[in-house]
């Protein structure tokens, strides 16, 4: 219900509830982006039980190495998308081929940790590869989880918030200030400008006032 009016990209871990967004028929305006950090974690957990997991870890590391290069070059989203198709897509094919072969290995699949890593990768494959076609998105949801840390730390303060309306208002303001942080905007400057525009009744393009489009 929360996302029923949403269109764009969502980046998540492998929690089963998010798999509903893999259905393009029901959610044609939402693209589900899987998290390669969570996938890699499965292989790291399996590594002590089977050294073959290192091959997968290294290939996933190649994906992240590409992303570091793209950021260092300060590429625009359309350039990142082009580079991903040229440099990361072949790595994805290698990963998928390797995991499919592992899934046919009865001895390997008898290893619980390796079986979990293989099944996680195959079950999440549709969302894991979706980053290729979207230069705007990250290949992990670490950034999202880092932003949620502030929310979690604030839970005790919110227990005495007073009412549901007050909670909605607080959540809105929290979202605004955190969005400013993500976009390297000083929240105080942003709110001063926003409230001044509202006070003066200026006619402006409201979309341009969103933190992701705002220019100081």
């Amino acid at each position: 219900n929360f996302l029923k009016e949403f269109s764009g990209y969502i980046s998540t871990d492998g929690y089963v509830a998010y798999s509903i967004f893999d259905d393009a028929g029901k959610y044609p305006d939402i693209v589900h982006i899987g998290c390669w950090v969570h996938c890699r974690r499965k292989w790291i957990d399996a590594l002590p039980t089977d050294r073959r997991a290192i091959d997968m870890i290294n290939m996933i590391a190649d994906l992240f190495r590409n992303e570091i290069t793209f950021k260092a070059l300060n590429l625009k989203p359309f350039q990142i998308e082009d580079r991903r198709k040229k440099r990361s897509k072949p790595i994805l094919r290698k990963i998928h081929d390797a995991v499919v072969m592992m899934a046919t290995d009865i001895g390997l699949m008898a290893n619980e940790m390796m079986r979990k890593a293989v099944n996680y990768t195959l079950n999440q494959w549709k969302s894991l590869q979706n980053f290729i076609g979207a230069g705007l998105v990250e290949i992990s949801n670490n950034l999202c989880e880092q932003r949620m840390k502030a929310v979690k730390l604030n839970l005790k303060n919110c227990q005495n918030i007073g009412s549901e309306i007050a909670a909605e208002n607080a959540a809105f303001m929290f979202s605004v200030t955190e969005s400013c942080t993500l976009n390297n905007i000083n929240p105080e400057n942003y709110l001063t400008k926003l409230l001044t525009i509202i006070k003066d009744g200026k006619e402006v393009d409201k979309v341009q006032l969103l933190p992701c489009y705002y220019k100081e």
Side-chain angles (χ1 to χ4, degrees):
N1 287 338
F2 181 74
L3 291 168
K4 65 182 178 182
E5 304 294 335
F6 178 77
S7 64
Y9 304 98
I10 58 170
S11 176
T12 77
D13 56 26
Y15 179 47
V16 66
Y18 300 129
S19 63
I20 61 173
F21 298 112
D22 292 328
D23 188 339
K26 287 185 177 179
Y27 299 95
D29 298 323
I30 294 179
V31 179
H32 183 199
I33 308 295
C35 175
W36 277 100
V37 166
H38 283 83
C39 181
R40 181 178 60 189
R41 190 174 301 155
K42 299 293 183 184
W43 293 100
I44 291 173
D45 291 343
L47 183 58
T49 68
D50 194 317
R51 296 303 299 174
R52 283 174 288 184
I54 195 65
D55 295 331
M56 297 301 302
I57 294 169
N58 287 337
M59 284 190 281
I60 294 172
D62 288 337
L63 293 177
F64 281 95
R65 202 169 288 115
N66 284 346
E67 296 300 311
I68 292 170
T69 302
F70 302 157
K71 283 185 172 60
L73 293 173
N74 200 28
L75 299 180
K76 297 187 180 301
F78 76 90
Q79 294 172 314
I80 292 175
E81 182 177 337
D82 183 60
R83 298 287 181 95
R84 282 175 174 172
K85 287 176 180 176
K86 291 177 181 176
R87 298 179 59 177
S88 298
K89 198 169 184 178
I91 299 172
L92 285 182
R93 282 197 292 267
K94 287 170 59 180
I95 292 174
H96 188 257
D97 290 347
V99 178
V100 169
M101 287 296 295
M102 289 180 179
T104 64
D105 186 328
I106 297 174
L108 182 144
M109 294 299 281
N111 178 330
E112 182 183 2
M113 300 304 293
M114 288 293 283
R115 184 173 67 252
K116 284 182 178 179
V118 168
N119 288 340
Y120 183 94
T121 306
L122 291 178
N123 291 339
Q124 300 293 320
W125 189 252
K126 184 174 181 179
S127 61
L128 284 171
Q129 64 177 338
N130 277 344
F131 77 94
I132 289 292
L136 282 168
V137 304
E138 302 284 336
I139 68 170
S140 84
N141 74 335
N142 269 6
L143 187 61
C144 303
E145 293 198 354
Q146 287 165 7
R147 301 327 307 164
M148 287 304 297
K149 183 177 181 180
V151 176
K152 184 68 176 176
L153 292 174
N154 197 40
L155 282 181
K156 283 190 177 181
N157 295 335
C158 292
Q159 286 178 347
N160 301 314
I161 208 158
S163 69
E164 289 190 14
I165 293 175
E168 288 181 3
N169 291 336
F172 169 74
M173 290 308 300
F174 194 91
S175 177
V176 169
T177 54
E178 288 298 296
S179 295
C180 287
T181 301
L182 284 175
N183 288 280
N184 297 315
I185 296 169
N186 182 304
E188 184 178 358
N189 293 348
Y190 172 80
L191 290 171
T192 300
K193 177 78 174 290
L194 188 65
L195 293 172
T196 300
I197 290 171
I198 294 171
K199 179 177 70 71
D200 294 343
K202 292 181 180 179
E203 289 293 328
V204 295
D205 181 355
K206 292 180 180 178
V207 171
Q208 295 303 315
L209 294 176
L210 292 171
C212 56
Y213 297 114
Y214 177 80
K215 302 295 182 185
E216 288 197 284

